[in-house]
Amino acid sequence: MLQAGARQSAVARELNVHRSVIHRLWNHYQRDQNASRRRGSVLRRISTTADDRYLLQCSRRRRTLTASQLSAAAGKPISRQTVSRRLHEGGLFARRPVVCVPLSPAYVRARLGP
């Protein structure tokens, strides 16, 4: 429509969008000869679900491994923080992957002393 000579405000009214949208798309088209949407900045997962299962399996088998040692065992460049996050999602907590058992209120009182 713009190439045919229509005004940006008329095109915006016709398409029921704000004039700034038409202006931005027209500028993008003139610059790149393409008005398609830009690719978003979606973060990709480093580890697949199979990798996550493998990390959980390894950490259950060898409970003394730390998160950084598990990342080396994974065979992929996975950061220590990502490994810790995946273990946390799988129900394993702390630096060394152990199952976290919540303390009962009575046990907490007993530990705090008299």
Side-chain angles (χ1 to χ4, degrees):
M1 294 167 84
L2 291 172
Q3 287 177 336
R7 295 172 53 104
Q8 289 183 2
S9 56
V11 173
R13 251 185 285 143
E14 182 73 27
L15 298 176
N16 197 24
V17 294
H18 196 269
R19 191 190 63 79
S20 63
V21 174
I22 302 299
H23 179 75
R24 183 176 44 79
L25 285 173
W26 181 242
N27 285 343
H28 181 68
Y29 177 76
Q30 286 179 322
R31 184 181 66 240
D32 299 335
Q33 297 301 312
N34 185 3
S36 65
R37 295 182 67 181
R38 285 182 240 145
R39 294 179 65 182
S41 61
V42 177
L43 292 175
R44 293 178 45 228
R45 281 179 68 101
I46 295 296
S47 61
T48 62
T49 53
D51 293 334
D52 297 345
R53 281 195 306 271
Y54 180 73
L55 286 172
L56 286 170
Q57 185 181 22
C58 286
S59 62
R60 285 189 181 114
R61 282 184 181 161
R62 297 182 60 197
R63 292 191 181 272
T64 58
L65 290 180
T66 61
S68 55
Q69 291 169 334
L70 278 170
S71 66
K76 274 186 169 182
I78 302 174
S79 71
R80 182 199 54 79
Q81 182 61 44
T82 301
V83 171
S84 295
R85 203 176 311 118
R86 298 298 183 258
L87 293 177
H88 182 80
E89 290 170 2
L92 300 176
F93 298 87
R95 288 194 188 113
R96 298 208 173 182
V98 295
V99 176
C100 181
V101 180
L103 301 178
S104 67
Y107 189 74
V108 171
R109 280 193 301 275
R111 285 187 59 175
L112 290 176

